[in-house]
Amino acid sequence: MSDLLTCAACGAKNRVTVVPAGQVPSCARCGAALPWLISGSDASFVGDVQADVPVVVDFWAPWCGPCRVIGPVLEDLARERAGRLKIVKVNVDEHPRAPGEYAVQGIPTLLLFRGGELVGRQVGAVPKATLSAWIDAT
């Protein structure tokens, strides 16, 4: 599976399949770090949370109002922290196993991973400043 990441610096669209350990995705045109925002699945979850940068997993559903509110906030954070943050969006309707393993009872639920280990949980839509502070403090 690959994701299409748009470079914030030059606007080029980059198809990213696998990012080697110790690296972050970069633009094929200009070399800038790409906003690392991908779609996750039950099958890819274990690998998705492995990165040398903090990983925020967003458990969401398209019918969820608060999920639609926090989605653009996460996109902004991915652009602002390109190369320093990875966002993984997991649709709970299509991929129920991963949310079940982490006892997700309400959405949106955000999990923060560092080095593949769960270090934080945030339930519900929160303002961008609150989310940013949570990522930095956890």
Side-chain angles (χ1 to χ4, degrees):
M1 183 174 155
S2 64
D3 287 281
L4 195 61
L5 304 179
T6 303
C7 179
C10 72
K13 297 196 181 316
N14 294 263
R15 186 163 306 282
V16 177
T17 53
V18 176
V19 177
Q23 296 183 16
V24 296
S26 60
C27 179
R29 182 187 294 167
C30 72
L34 291 170
W36 204 354
L37 177 69
I38 66 169
S39 297
S41 69
D42 285 337
S44 67
F45 191 83
V46 172
D48 289 342
V49 299
Q50 299 294 327
D52 290 341
V53 297
V55 178
V56 174
V57 177
D58 174 22
F59 290 110
W60 71 286
W63 48 263
C64 167
C67 297
R68 290 193 306 263
V69 170
I70 203 158
V73 172
L74 292 170
E75 291 171 14
D76 285 348
L77 284 173
R79 277 190 298 277
E80 291 170 8
R81 296 178 182 221
R84 298 179 289 129
L85 180 67
K86 179 179 182 181
I87 309 280
V88 179
K89 295 185 66 67
V90 178
N91 183 328
V92 298
D93 290 337
E94 296 174 357
H95 306 284
R97 190 178 74 224
E101 289 175 6
Y102 287 92
V104 172
Q105 296 180 357
I107 55 174
T109 292
L110 306 176
L111 300 182
L112 180 61
F113 290 83
R114 292 186 189 274
E117 298 295 322
L118 178 63
V119 296
R121 176 183 298 258
Q122 176 73 47
V123 179
V126 295
K128 183 177 176 181
T130 303
L131 188 55
S132 190
W134 172 68
I135 293 168
D136 292 338
T138 306

